[in-house]
Amino acid sequence: MPEKILNLENGISAQLLDDYIERNEIPDADNSDIWIINNDKAWNVRRFLVSVIRHPDPKVFLKPVFLQKDLKKTYRENKNYNIKHLCDGYIKELDIQSKIPYIRFILNFIKNLNISFSSSEDDLLKKTLMYYYSRNKDIEFHESSESLSGYSYPRIEAYYDGTTEAYVNGRALLNGAYKNDFLRRNYVDTSHICNKCYSGFLNYREECPKCKHHNLQARILIHHFRCAYVGTEQRFWQGERMVCPKCSMELKNLGVDYDKPGKVFYCLNDKCKNEFQKPLIGVHCIHCKTEQAPSELNLEKIYNYELTQKAISEILK
């Protein structure tokens, strides 16, 4: 049974979706001009929006879809679902007055389309170009812990299942469009990611250069001015007094009797116990458990993209 359809400002009709989202069912796109999501289950909303994005009919994947603002707090608690980036944003109650020109442009664009799309990479690119043209928006990245690398293009990655597939294929789609002059790109940031799985969730840690163990202890060095002895601080303490192990003189004043020129590291691996001044830096990938050096990480440039005139001509022809 269809959900309630309302007539709003300037003859715009809106369909409120609730049961459709529970069932993950796409309504008849011809029944209304826009869809308004009034379901508070964030995962179900994301699942529905992904189904909309993957749909082959432009009347569906280009349909203006809005979230109700009073549910914003609920969705924000599940921010990794990127819900607001998979639709046209929020409206307060049913007030669309400020969005009417935006909605009209989209509806007029859809009206002139009479095609269907497959899931081929060429068609996914066309769907992407059409969507961002109809919204007059650039393709912008978003920081997300749900994304494999930490930087996400949510709508494009929604075409694919799995975080690795979404990352690899989403980036390939954007890079291919850039190389074919459908997109211009603007540098935003640089990221370092795992060379095996492309994850950006990495743990950098100091390691013993001898055994590569990473359970280390830092020890302060003491330099005694009078006899030039240098050793770790532990070697100087005798009870509550600091006494030089070499000349037995008591050290009282920092900067007068002694200074602290640096520190050394002590490996707590019982089979090693190596002492050294410069530890190695190792990188542990939290996603795939690969160990690598910083120099072995893949360097990724992060860009925002905008449609070129060639892309717009391709869309409008």
Side-chain angles (χ1 to χ4, degrees):
M1 187 171 75
E3 299 290 334
K4 187 174 182 181
I5 297 176
L6 305 175
N7 291 317
L8 306 180
E9 292 94 337
N10 290 56
I12 301 292
S13 60
Q15 186 166 4
L16 300 179
L17 308 181
D18 194 351
D19 290 342
Y20 282 103
I21 291 172
E22 292 291 335
R23 301 191 300 266
N24 194 27
E25 180 182 331
I26 303 295
D28 187 337
D30 292 323
N31 284 346
S32 63
D33 297 317
I34 68 174
W35 290 335
I36 297 177
I37 291 176
N38 57 336
N39 187 294
D40 63 357
K41 297 182 178 66
W43 172 249
N44 288 348
V45 172
R46 174 181 167 78
R47 181 184 62 179
F48 173 80
L49 291 173
V50 169
S51 296
V52 169
I53 291 168
R54 294 182 180 184
H55 202 278
D57 188 347
K59 292 181 180 179
V60 175
F61 71 76
L62 293 178
K63 172 73 75 175
V65 183
F66 296 96
L67 308 168
Q68 290 196 339
K69 202 166 187 177
D70 58 356
L71 294 174
K72 189 172 185 177
K73 183 177 179 181
T74 301
Y75 300 147
R76 189 180 289 162
E77 291 171 357
N78 299 276
K79 62 182 180 179
N80 289 338
Y81 293 163
N82 289 312
I83 290 173
K84 71 176 181 179
H85 301 305
L86 301 179
C87 63
D88 293 283
Y90 291 95
I91 58 171
K92 187 174 183 180
E93 297 177 348
L94 298 175
D95 181 12
I96 62 165
Q97 186 60 45
S98 64
K99 298 185 181 294
I100 288 175
Y102 174 88
I103 294 170
R104 284 289 181 205
F105 184 84
I106 297 170
L107 296 179
N108 288 333
F109 179 65
I110 295 173
K111 192 188 326 182
N112 297 320
L113 299 174
N114 187 26
I115 50 176
S116 184
F117 292 89
S118 70
S119 58
S120 70
E121 288 302 306
D122 285 344
D123 276 5
L124 291 183
L125 175 58
K126 290 177 185 176
K127 288 176 67 174
T128 300
L129 298 178
M130 284 181 170
Y131 179 83
Y132 284 97
Y133 172 77
S134 69
R135 269 61 180 179
N136 192 28
K137 290 181 178 178
D138 294 339
I139 303 172
E140 297 182 340
F141 82 91
H142 298 278
E143 294 179 344
S144 172
S145 58
E146 189 74 5
S147 168
L148 186 62
S149 70
Y151 293 87
S152 174
Y153 300 89
R155 187 175 182 89
I156 294 171
E157 293 180 10
Y159 293 140
Y160 309 101
D161 293 319
T163 53
T164 301
E165 183 183 1
Y167 172 85
V168 173
N169 292 332
R171 295 307 193 278
L173 185 149
L174 289 169
N175 289 335
Y178 166 72
K179 290 178 181 178
N180 288 303
D181 196 31
F182 289 117
L183 295 175
R184 280 187 296 273
R185 66 188 189 187
N186 301 301
Y187 170 80
V188 181
D189 205 348
T190 297
S191 176
H192 293 83
I193 55 178
C194 175
N195 64 24
K196 181 178 179 181
C197 74
Y198 312 109
S199 173
F201 296 93
L202 307 170
N203 182 24
Y204 294 77
R205 57 199 183 191
E206 295 165 323
E207 295 179 345
C208 173
K210 182 178 179 182
C211 71
K212 301 297 177 67
H213 201 66
H214 47 80
N215 186 13
L216 309 179
Q217 183 183 70
R219 296 179 175 180
I220 302 298
L221 289 174
I222 300 294
H223 169 221
H224 184 201
F225 293 148
R226 184 177 184 89
C227 70
Y229 177 77
V230 177
T232 59
E233 191 173 22
Q234 290 91 327
R235 296 174 184 171
F236 284 81
W237 284 107
Q238 294 184 13
E240 296 183 355
R241 300 166 60 238
M242 288 185 66
V243 177
C244 178
K246 180 180 178 182
C247 67
S248 301
M249 181 177 178
E250 183 177 1
L251 282 63
K252 296 182 179 180
N253 298 308
L254 178 63
V256 176
D257 299 325
Y258 67 97
D259 66 359
K260 298 179 179 181
K263 60 184 178 181
V264 295
F265 291 86
Y266 182 76
C267 178
L268 297 179
N269 179 2
D270 290 337
K271 296 180 179 180
C272 179
K273 296 184 178 181
N274 185 30
E275 194 173 82
F276 50 92
Q277 281 194 294
K278 292 185 178 181
L280 300 175
I281 301 297
V283 184
H284 171 75
C285 177
I286 294 171
H287 186 258
C288 73
K289 315 306 179 188
T290 298
E291 305 289 342
Q292 53 209 290
S295 60
E296 296 174 316
L297 295 173
N298 287 340
L299 186 147
E300 179 188 36
K301 299 285 186 180
I302 311 299
Y303 300 98
N304 287 334
Y305 296 85
E306 57 184 291
L307 273 63
T308 63
Q309 188 57 51
K310 179 181 177 181
I312 295 172
S313 298
E314 181 72 17
I315 292 167
L316 299 179
K317 71 179 182 181

